[in-house]
Amino acid sequence: AQSVTQLDSQVPVFEEAPVELRCNYSSSVSVYLFWYVQYPNQGLQLLLKYLSGSTLVKGINGFEAEFNKSQTSFHLRKPSVHISDTAEYFCAVSDNTDKLIFGTGTRLQVFP
Amino acid sequence: DTGVSQNPRHKITKRGQNVTFRCDPISEHNRLYWYRQTLGQGPEFLTYFQNEAQLEKSRLLSDRFSAERPKGSFSTLEIQRTEQGDSAMYLCASSLAPGGGELFFGEGSRLTVL
């Protein structure tokens, strides 16, 4: 069975500071990994995904993530956050069935 | 707007009543998913369809829950004899398979059971 762990339920950060949101996964098969963002009162949007190839994946809004197979991690990073990045971020895993298993989410709160 | 559409957006009902949610996916997408999200949690998979065939149902989907996707287009999720524990956001998503895993989500239908 697959699972995703997001250890940080909340991450407060000041504007223009760097941020890392942590994600660890568990799977017995090859996986696809995703980060989704949910802004207040909006649907989930895909930030980025890792399917294969380069382990460093770049997404929208300046976010990037690195797939680390040995550490079973897929941490999300941004070098300089903006107030508009305040949202809930979800890490997810799938096994090529397109059925996503989500983590519990990390709330990123950016302060001026 | 050609995204995933869900109706109604909000539903308040009394315990024991039946409710039905509708999802209209992106028109060319052959897969449709239902998820449930409660406060402070990530979306939990309920079920998914490929065209009109229901391919998988989660153990979370009790006998009171039924989902259909007639003709492989829109889908309905019905909850019978609602309980307070059914209060949640019900999310619908669609994808084009095989598609590399990008699901397109609707804004959700929020259910409150009194």
Side-chain angles (χ1 to χ4, degrees), chain A residues 6 32 34 36 38 41-46 49-51 88 90 94 96-105, chain B residues 9 31 33 35 37 40-45 48 56 91 95-107:
Chain A
Q6 293 183 248
Y32 297 164
F34 307 82
Y36 279 78
Q38 188 174 35
N41 300 315
Q42 295 187 28
L44 288 150
Q45 301 173 35
L46 180 68
K49 61 184 178 182
Y50 171 78
L51 303 182
E88 190 87 21
F90 294 95
S94 82
N96 196 28
T97 64
D98 285 356
K99 182 186 78 176
L100 297 179
I101 304 299
F102 286 89
T104 53
Chain B
R9 293 291 311 281
R31 285 196 177 169
Y33 307 77
Y35 284 81
Q37 187 177 19
Q41 298 297 316
E44 297 173 302
F45 170 77
Y48 86 100
E56 187 175 343
L91 301 173
S95 71
L96 183 61
E102 180 170 3
L103 271 60
F104 293 81
F105 283 84
E107 294 183 336

Side-chain angles (χ1 to χ4, degrees), chain B residues 17-72:
Chain B
Q17 297 295 305
N18 299 343
V19 297
T20 299
F21 299 112
R22 175 178 171 128
C23 173
D24 288 273
I26 294 172
S27 58
E28 63 268 26
H29 285 183
N30 53 2
R31 285 196 177 169
L32 187 147
Y33 307 77
W34 285 100
Y35 284 81
R36 180 172 65 189
Q37 187 177 19
T38 53
L39 198 61
Q41 298 297 316
E44 297 173 302
F45 170 77
L46 294 178
T47 188
Y48 86 100
F49 295 82
Q50 176 144 331
N51 300 313
E52 65 275 10
Q54 188 172 21
L55 296 188
E56 187 175 343
K57 292 167 58 175
S58 165
R59 290 172 299 166
L60 294 173
L61 213 63
S62 77
D63 291 345
R64 296 184 298 104
F65 288 69
S66 63
E68 295 182 341
R69 193 184 183 197
K71 302 179 183 178

Side-chain angles (χ1 to χ4, degrees), chain B residues 4-11 19-25 32-34 66-79 90-93 106-110:
Chain B
V4 177
S5 176
Q6 293 189 245
N7 289 288
R9 293 291 311 281
H10 304 275
K11 179 71 176 178
V19 297
T20 299
F21 299 112
R22 175 178 171 128
C23 173
D24 288 273
L32 187 147
Y33 307 77
W34 285 100
S66 63
E68 295 182 341
R69 193 184 183 197
K71 302 179 183 178
S73 55
F74 72 92
S75 175
T76 58
L77 177 68
E78 181 182 17
I79 309 173
Y90 290 86
L91 301 173
C92 178
E107 294 183 336
S109 292
R110 182 171 295 283

Side-chain angles (χ1 to χ4, degrees), chain A residues 36-112:
Chain A
Y36 279 78
V37 60
Q38 188 174 35
Y39 298 104
N41 300 315
Q42 295 187 28
L44 288 150
Q45 301 173 35
L46 180 68
L47 267 182
L48 49 79
K49 61 184 178 182
Y50 171 78
L51 303 182
S52 64
S54 173
T55 57
L56 182 63
V57 180
K58 294 189 182 298
I60 62 172
N61 300 339
F63 284 93
E64 64 181 32
E66 186 158 18
F67 171 57
N68 188 318
K69 188 174 182 179
S70 63
Q71 297 187 3
T72 61
S73 67
F74 190 55
H75 300 332
L76 181 70
R77 302 185 182 100
K78 185 170 183 177
S80 176
V81 295
H82 302 287
I83 295 285
S84 60
D85 293 324
T86 295
E88 190 87 21
Y89 292 80
F90 294 95
C91 183
V93 63
S94 82
D95 60 359
N96 196 28
T97 64
D98 285 356
K99 182 186 78 176
L100 297 179
I101 304 299
F102 286 89
T104 53
T106 298
R107 174 150 183 81
L108 176 63
Q109 181 73 52
V110 181
F111 295 94

Side-chain angles (χ1 to χ4, degrees), chain B residues 13-16 36-39 44 46 60 62 64-65 79-90 111-114:
Chain B
T13 191
K14 293 182 179 179
R15 188 178 53 179
R36 180 172 65 189
Q37 187 177 19
T38 53
L39 198 61
E44 297 173 302
L46 294 178
L60 294 173
S62 77
R64 296 184 298 104
F65 288 69
I79 309 173
Q80 296 181 327
R81 306 181 302 282
T82 53
E83 302 173 356
Q84 288 185 326
D86 297 331
S87 295
M89 179 75 85
Y90 290 86
L111 174 64
T112 301
V113 181
L114 302 177

